[in-house]
Amino acid sequence: MKTWILSALAAGASVLSMSAVAQSSAAQQVDPSAFIDQFEATFGKYEGYRRSGAKGICALGEFVGTADARALSTASAFSGKPIPVLVRFSVGGANPKAADNTRTQRNLALQFDLPDGEQWQMGNISAPVFAASSPQQFFALLASRQPDPATRQADPARVKAFNDANPEVLLQGKHFASQPVPASFGSVNYWGVHGYGFVNAGGVTQYGKWVFEPVGGVQGLTDEEARAKGPNFLFDDLRQRVKDGKVAFHFNLELAQPGDRIDNATVPLPEGRKKVTLGTLKVTSVSPDAGGACLNITYNPMVMPRGVLPSADPLLEARAAPYAVSLGRRLSEGAKQQ
């Protein structure tokens, strides 16, 4: 199997083999159908919709990579030529009627359509951390929040016991609570949360975590502004901003240093890590309706081009199968997203 090459900044550290990663990941898998069953039991079943990020909209974009990116990775996404991108913006959660004016998650899912049939898929969220560090912990988190059929509420004692034993699962919620309601899909940061390696022409791999940062800066709403906007303003706002040419993001990579955790999505890189701009993503059009090319894309983060490698984060490999199960159910029900 391939050998994981450590970051140029981590020269001299021990080398981790792909076989070790596979063994570690396999040990932490949860049955994908059980995963989706638990999503439905905890958050409700909305036929035809994604079990997470249900309320969404398709868009098209264009990405142009930088010379700095080409120095880090041979990936064709960074050629400097315009790359078409299928974009999906969404509100976090399983409810397709989720309110837009609350302090909750926003999602930016991307598919780069690269030369020679390659693709790069990714899901990015509006928090620097995920809600769990492993498939097992995530499954247990969902189960702890499952409502009682009689009360339609989660058991507070069960929730507290799980939180006390797994305090890191609260970090994402604390982040959302500390931030204002995003003014737009186009005015909030979107983090990849997982670590990836970028392989250059010399075969050296630099690990890091990325974030898409709005070119126009982050913009939030006051509580009064959010109430005035109402629960369904994001789609129309996005269409207007894209029409005005005002939705673009810098694709920035935070470079890991020796000792940094890149295999745990609940642990961000330390403040002050060097940041390299890999390119700029510009959103060029938005679907006029609930359809669009993104409707049935799973945005599997294990789909990546040559020149990019996954870290040993156990959640990465664990995402693909539940995504496929969810898609299968949605297609049998009639896929929807608004």
Side-chain angles (χ1 to χ4, degrees), residues 19-30 135 312-318:
S19 61
V21 174
Q23 291 168 7
S24 173
S25 181
Q28 300 189 66
Q29 294 301 314
V30 176
D313 187 332
L315 277 168
L316 270 172
E317 187 177 356

Side-chain angles (χ1 to χ4, degrees), residues 100-120:
D100 296 349
N101 58 349
T102 58
R103 299 184 184 188
T104 52
Q105 183 170 301
R106 306 291 182 266
N107 306 310
L108 172 66
L110 304 172
Q111 177 178 285
F112 297 73
D113 289 323
L114 305 173
D116 302 320
E118 277 195 310
Q119 290 182 333
W120 191 359

Side-chain angles (χ1 to χ4, degrees), residues 232-263:
N232 294 294
F233 71 92
L234 284 174
F235 293 167
D236 288 342
D237 170 271
L238 180 67
R239 291 188 178 100
Q240 186 59 53
R241 290 184 186 233
V242 169
K243 183 179 178 181
D244 295 340
K246 294 182 178 179
V247 180
F249 300 88
H250 292 307
F251 182 9
N252 292 326
L253 180 68
E254 296 176 306
L255 306 182
Q257 294 185 10
D260 289 347
R261 292 296 303 273
I262 58 159
D263 60 352

